[in-house]
Amino acid sequence: MEVAKVLHMNGGIGEASYAKNSLIAKKVILMTKSIRDEAITALYRNLSPETICIADLGCSSGPNTFLTISRLIQTIYEECKSDGQKQSPEFHVFLNDLPGNDFNTIFRSLTAFYDDLRKQMRDGFDPNCFVTGVAGSFYTRLFPSKSLHFVHSSYSLQWISQVPHGIEDNKGNIYVSRTSPPTVVKAYYELYERDFATFLKYRSKELVKGGRMILTMLGRKNEDLYSKGCYYVLEPLAMALKELVAMGLIEEEKVNSFNIPIYSPSPAEVKYVVEKEGSFTIDVLETSELCIDVSDETCGNTGPSDAQNDLHLCRVQEMVTPQDCSNGEYNVAHCLRAVTESLLVSHFGTELNMDQVFNKCREIFVNCMAKEKTTFTNVIISMTKRN
């Protein structure tokens, strides 16, 4: 599977679109606001560029696309205002995703985005923001040398560049699960390490000296190899596919050869690759937790982290609540479809009835998964380019 040619979140604004099913991603973006504010403020104070060039990698489409950018611009506006400046710098924003992304919806939203920016800016400040779409894999070079000041990516770097080779023994699984053989876990990790090192190498060429980068990815809080977040989201799909095999609707061999190119790293794994690659200084390395709780109870404390003592880890809890669900904002089957449908279509073709698959997923979630409180662990790293 050539992931760069196949993978994309569902476009448009329909019921199965990513735009309508990205509540978790939105909450994660909001949870990391203080880290972004600190980084962009430090960048502006140290470099004072007349034009701040910002890249958001894995931007997708929908309301979250401009959420980070508008908050960054607002932070610089407040900084300029507090210093008595009469004008903020200009902003050149690059929105990047794979070629299959729904860039048309993004461009159609630009007018509303600019209008919202003007409403936020007071006292005669003009936002002077210019937006460019950049299609391509972030595991390749995307920008000219030393052309960026700030790079942001949220909930994208858990996607690796391809399905690893040599994982034929991962039968009955569609990701790294507790029943995956050690050889499969090793293959996924080694590809993640190579991909992340490549990502860092290219971003180091594109960022100016002293440039900042903040990455947030679905991860693990310690060295337990299995992500509860992945289990919660992907296991209903694995179970649904097995049920369709039992019903004779799809071939078992076809299901056994389907794997999703996702790896959820631990803070220690992220730290190891950054330090080994060597282009960046780590300013912040934290985990945050997002609790999926569709009962009326609250999510309890998860206890201390087992990660290495030299890592700075901060527990920040946010929740997807029953109110979110009753408002129609969170539907696990729709969310799953918005994220994985492109991969399923590429692998199974017209043989697979997507409505049938995700109706099964919804049944499984309601009958099994929704009875459990589930915590998504997010790994957040803020870095500065060395030289």
Side-chain angles (χ1 to χ4, degrees), residues 80-132:
C80 293
K81 185 178 172 183
S82 67
D83 284 349
Q85 299 180 37
K86 295 183 178 180
Q87 184 59 52
S88 66
E90 294 183 338
F91 297 89
H92 192 175
V93 175
F94 300 94
L95 299 177
N96 157 259
D97 214 312
L98 294 174
N101 185 53
D102 184 8
F103 284 101
N104 286 336
T105 293
I106 293 175
F107 296 142
R108 282 194 291 267
S109 304
L110 272 177
T111 300
F113 168 64
Y114 290 140
D115 288 344
D116 287 342
L117 273 184
R118 292 186 186 96
K119 291 175 183 176
Q120 292 175 23
M121 303 299 164
R122 299 176 297 277
D123 306 320
F125 275 70
D126 189 333
N128 284 329
C129 177
F130 307 92
V131 176
T132 301

Side-chain angles (χ1 to χ4, degrees), residues 31 43 48 51 75 79 136 158 161 170-171 185 187 204 214 226 234 247 250 290 295 309 332 336 350:
M31 289 166 71
L43 170 86
S48 301
T51 300
T75 299
E79 175 70 12
Q158 66 268 14
S161 62
N170 202 33
K171 295 178 180 179
V185 179
S204 73
I214 296 180
Y226 310 104
L234 297 180
M247 295 167 64
I250 49 175
L290 177 65
S295 71
N309 291 332
V332 71
L336 186 56
T350 56

Side-chain angles (χ1 to χ4, degrees), residues 21-51:
N21 296 280
S22 51
L23 175 65
I24 291 174
K26 176 182 178 181
K27 284 185 174 283
V28 170
I29 289 171
L30 295 176
M31 289 166 71
T32 55
K33 179 182 183 300
S34 62
I35 299 174
R36 286 195 307 275
D37 287 352
E38 181 180 345
I40 194 71
T41 300
L43 170 86
Y44 184 63
R45 289 174 179 172
N46 293 335
L47 302 182
S48 301
E50 292 184 3
T51 300

Side-chain angles (χ1 to χ4, degrees), residues 182-368:
T183 53
V184 171
V185 179
K186 183 173 184 286
Y188 265 91
Y189 171 73
E190 289 178 349
L191 180 56
Y192 156 76
E193 184 181 325
R194 289 197 302 272
D195 280 350
F196 190 35
T198 298
F199 175 93
L200 294 170
K201 178 181 72 172
Y202 289 140
R203 301 299 83 78
S204 73
K205 294 179 184 296
E206 296 161 354
L207 277 160
V208 300
K209 180 181 179 181
R212 304 294 290 257
M213 181 160 66
I214 296 180
L215 312 173
T216 304
M217 60 204 87
L218 179 64
R220 314 188 315 270
K221 66 180 179 180
N222 52 38
E223 299 318 295
D224 185 337
L225 293 173
Y226 310 104
S227 163
K228 290 182 179 179
C230 275
Y231 171 81
Y232 177 82
V233 173
L234 297 180
E235 193 59 24
L237 178 56
M239 295 167 70
L241 292 174
K242 290 174 188 176
E243 285 193 24
L244 294 178
V245 168
M247 295 167 64
L249 297 177
I250 49 175
E251 297 177 5
E252 184 175 18
E253 182 180 346
K254 198 77 170 174
V255 173
N256 283 337
S257 62
F258 178 68
N259 288 278
I260 293 179
I262 278 182
Y263 184 81
S264 302
S266 69
E269 289 170 344
V270 171
K271 181 174 184 283
Y272 171 76
V273 178
V274 172
E275 292 183 341
K276 182 179 179 183
E277 196 277 333
S279 298
F280 294 88
T281 299
I282 298 175
D283 302 308
V284 177
L285 179 57
E286 297 182 357
T287 61
S288 66
E289 293 188 336
L290 177 65
C291 183
I292 307 296
D293 184 4
V294 295
S295 71
D296 289 325
E297 302 171 12
T298 58
C299 184
N301 293 328
T302 57
S305 169
D306 296 325
Q308 294 180 355
N309 291 332
D310 61 341
L311 296 176
H312 175 53
L313 297 177
C314 176
R315 293 280 158 217
V316 183
Q317 289 224 342
E318 183 63 63
M319 297 181 66
V320 173
T321 64
Q323 288 72 31
D324 291 328
C325 300
S326 63
N327 291 336
E329 293 182 11
Y330 181 71
N331 178 311
V332 71
H334 284 164
C335 175
L336 186 56
R337 184 168 186 168
V339 172
T340 63
E341 185 166 9
S342 63
L343 300 176
L344 290 164
V345 170
S346 173
H347 185 80
F348 293 97
T350 56
E351 175 187 351
L352 196 60
N353 183 312
M354 293 299 160
D355 290 337
Q356 199 169 33
V357 171
F358 291 104
N359 286 338
K360 282 283 182 190
C361 286
R362 184 168 180 79
E363 290 174 12
I364 292 166
F365 174 73
V366 170
N367 294 329
C368 304

